[in-house]
Amino acid sequence: MTTASQNQVVTDVLVIGGGMAGAFAAITAKEQGLNVTLVDKGTVGRSGATPWAVGFGIFDEKEGLDRDKWIANFRSSGEYVNNLDWLDQFLDESKNRWEDLVAWGYTNEAARHPSLVLRDKLVESDVKLIERTMITTLLTQDDSKNNPVIGAMGFSIDSEEAIVILAKATITCAGAGAFKAPGFPIQGQTSDSDAMAYRVGAAISGKEWNDFHFTYVDAPASCWNQWGGMWQMITGKTTDIGATGVSLNSVYSIHTGENMTSDTAGGPSGGQPSGGGPGGEGSGEGSGKGAASGPSPGGEGGPHPDQSRGEQVLGAAMGLGIHKAEGIWPTSLQGTCNLPGLFAAGDALASMLCGSAYGGGGVSLSGSAVQGVKVAEGAVAYAQQADEPTLSEDAIASLQEAMFAPRERESGFSPAWVTQVLQNTTFPYFVLLVKHEDRLQAALSTITFLREHMAPRLIAKDAHELRLAHETENMLLNAEMKLRASLFRTESRGTHYREDYPARDDENWLAWVLLQKGSDGQMTVTKEAIPDDWKPDLSIPYKERYTNRFPGELEFLGLA
């Protein structure tokens, strides 16, 4: 396919991903008079996690909400590894973004679907849309020492045409990802953004945390049986707050021998907030059936009326991290990172808005909207002073050849087979949910073998399989990052539980874990301490400082 046709686009700002963050980023940049191109792997409004969200959490003091209480609840639910600057930004702006959505018609019952309203607004704003295009590679300036990102390359899933987009600023809003687990509607989310950014040198964080969703024994692999009702729900504003965030208590109970059902666990989302969360079950402004009252992909609330109930099956979203706590590591509140020209927002950004556990219903959607605007402001300022991006034809040809390599191989491994081996390695709950050094090392050995020996030999007979091949490579890299981060954090915190280190270690682990490609090509793992004034009051006794219990925790500390 090295002879495939090529479409080259030059733009001021490139946005990758057309969900809530991407829509707000593109529209904001366009309003500043720049040329903006948005590319999506599917169809904007129908792909990614955004179409399945039903709650938009906002903070509004005029409704009697207490800012200090919200901050305290976020800190405790995230177990003190939140970024309080990003939280301040969220508290300041979430109400404004809700008002934007209402003005766009997002809550209009006559709308075909709320997310399609985003697409309509992008078209109305004259943002150039390139849909059904798999972005595989971030482009970097080949004659520069500081490695600036100058756009991206991909291919059309329909025509296999190579798409080269040269941009002064690139904003990735491609979300996070899982391992194509059945039973949860994020099959297209495969951590593409994290993988592409890692390969060109960006730092990645938040990989040890877990979001979690159940499915049910009556239809364990059917997304629509479990989540079809949510597709038809109208998004609503939510303002409730709770005291603690998502925990994996039901997973631990299964590990210790107690089975859980929807009647005892409260819903299919698995990681239920013990006391709701900021955004909580929803005060429900909005319109239409079920507005803001059901569970979102973020995992809160009870099952909606059409959803299955009964005995739960684990792992419907294996590989998924915590919203707003997994992705490219930011260096500013405008989503910059260690690579000039590259910005990130939403679930592609490790803003640590929620910390080690999801704070509550609707925070993800509104957090994406807030960050989309702020990051676009930073990208616009960067683009306005940046030179026109250029890349040699030889460099483009080399990258294009690598992108289409699975189509050229006559023999090798199918992406479906390699993905299944990845799933068999990581899906057992005792690998990434109930962790232990021995099991993590065993899984890491298999995953690194797959990445080093199988990924370079993937084959694809058509464009669909070519997409799967790139997704499989990205999932393998995501799995390795999750395993290495989990091994590195030798404590338990939030949604990270180590059976061999079953308690929080505030002396050593009030910190974030960063992963980056080293100069030798190997993955490096480091940590960055949170600011001292964000730490909890260490004079408070441990059992009062942390109220969610891990199995074996108090015995480990001698507090039982």
Side-chain angles (χ1 to χ4, degrees), residues 90-272:
F90 170 82
L91 297 175
D92 290 341
E93 298 292 338
S94 56
K95 177 187 175 187
N96 295 332
R97 301 292 77 81
W98 172 251
E99 291 173 351
D100 289 340
L101 286 177
V102 172
W104 296 351
Y106 197 75
T107 58
N108 187 347
E109 274 194 272
R112 291 173 295 162
H113 188 280
S115 284
L116 291 174
V117 172
L118 299 180
R119 190 181 189 283
D120 293 342
K121 183 64 179 178
L122 288 163
V123 172
E124 176 189 317
S125 301
D126 201 25
V127 171
K128 179 181 178 63
L129 297 183
I130 301 176
E131 299 176 295
R132 293 184 56 75
T133 295
M134 171 92 190
I135 294 296
T136 64
T137 312
L138 292 175
L139 304 176
T140 57
Q141 194 80 49
D142 52 5
D143 59 351
S144 176
K145 293 181 180 178
N146 58 359
N147 206 32
V149 172
I150 55 169
M153 173 186 283
F155 63 91
S156 165
I157 295 169
D158 298 314
S159 68
E160 289 193 76
E161 180 183 53
I163 309 293
V164 178
I165 307 169
L166 296 175
K168 294 178 180 176
T170 300
I171 307 172
T172 177
C173 305
F179 299 145
K180 291 187 179 292
F184 193 64
I186 53 169
Q187 296 291 306
Q189 299 293 102
T190 48
S191 300
D192 305 333
S193 174
D194 294 356
M196 290 190 295
Y198 172 86
R199 292 187 185 109
V200 295
I204 307 295
S205 188
K207 288 299 179 182
E208 67 271 43
W209 316 128
N210 290 289
D211 202 342
F212 192 75
H213 299 264
F214 286 106
T215 184
Y216 289 96
V217 292
D218 59 345
S222 172
C223 289
W224 192 254
N225 276 56
Q226 305 301 329
W227 305 97
M230 287 182 65
W231 181 268
Q232 303 172 51
M233 295 167 74
I234 302 297
T235 301
K237 179 182 71 175
T238 64
T239 57
D240 291 347
I241 63 171
T244 58
V246 169
S247 74
L248 299 184
N249 291 340
S250 51
V251 177
Y252 309 146
S253 69
I254 291 172
H255 180 59
T256 55
E258 177 189 356
N259 200 7
M260 300 292 288
T261 70
S262 62
D263 297 325
T264 57
S269 52
Q272 290 80 16

Side-chain angles (χ1 to χ4, degrees), residues 21-34 36 97 100 104 122 125 127 171 369-378 380:
F24 267 98
I27 292 166
T28 299
K30 189 66 185 178
E31 287 174 344
Q32 298 304 308
L34 275 68
V36 180
R97 301 292 77 81
D100 289 340
W104 296 351
L122 288 163
S125 301
V127 171
I171 307 172
V370 170
Q371 292 178 6
V373 170
K374 290 299 179 183
V375 170
E377 292 171 355
V380 166

Side-chain angles (χ1 to χ4, degrees), residues 241-460:
I241 63 171
T244 58
V246 169
S247 74
L248 299 184
N249 291 340
S250 51
V251 177
Y252 309 146
S253 69
I254 291 172
H255 180 59
T256 55
E258 177 189 356
N259 200 7
M260 300 292 288
T261 70
S262 62
D263 297 325
T264 57
S269 52
Q272 290 80 16
S274 311
E281 288 75 23
S283 57
E285 179 182 308
S287 59
K289 51 192 176 185
S293 59
S296 79
E300 63 283 336
H304 61 74
D306 299 329
Q307 206 154 23
S308 299
R309 304 179 71 87
E311 189 175 351
Q312 296 172 337
V313 178
L314 295 172
M318 285 303 299
L320 187 66
I322 293 296
H323 295 295
K324 309 293 166 292
E326 177 189 28
I328 296 172
W329 183 245
T331 55
S332 77
L333 288 173
Q334 293 186 318
T336 55
C337 69
N338 59 312
L339 299 179
L342 180 62
F343 300 76
D347 281 358
L349 180 72
S351 65
M352 298 297 167
L353 173 65
C354 292
S356 64
Y358 187 50
V363 172
S364 178
L365 201 61
S366 51
S368 288
V370 170
Q371 292 178 6
V373 170
K374 290 299 179 183
V375 170
E377 292 171 355
V380 166
Y382 179 89
Q384 287 174 332
Q385 53 80 39
D387 295 330
E388 290 292 333
T390 59
L391 194 60
S392 69
E393 290 302 318
D394 286 347
I396 291 174
S398 176
L399 293 170
Q400 183 170 322
E401 183 177 354
M403 179 172 69
F404 285 120
R407 292 281 282 122
E408 299 290 335
R409 296 185 187 112
E410 295 182 355
S411 64
F413 300 94
S414 74
W417 184 84
V418 176
T419 293
Q420 187 162 10
V421 178
L422 179 155
Q423 292 172 340
N424 291 344
T425 304
T426 58
F427 276 17
Y429 78 89
F430 49 78
V431 176
L432 286 174
L433 298 176
V434 177
K435 306 173 185 176
H436 189 283
E437 180 178 357
D438 293 345
R439 301 191 292 268
L440 291 169
Q441 289 285 10
L444 180 61
S445 176
T446 299
I447 293 299
T448 53
F449 182 84
L450 292 173
R451 187 174 65 79
E452 293 172 357
H453 297 279
M454 303 294 180
R457 298 172 63 188
L458 289 170
I459 57 175

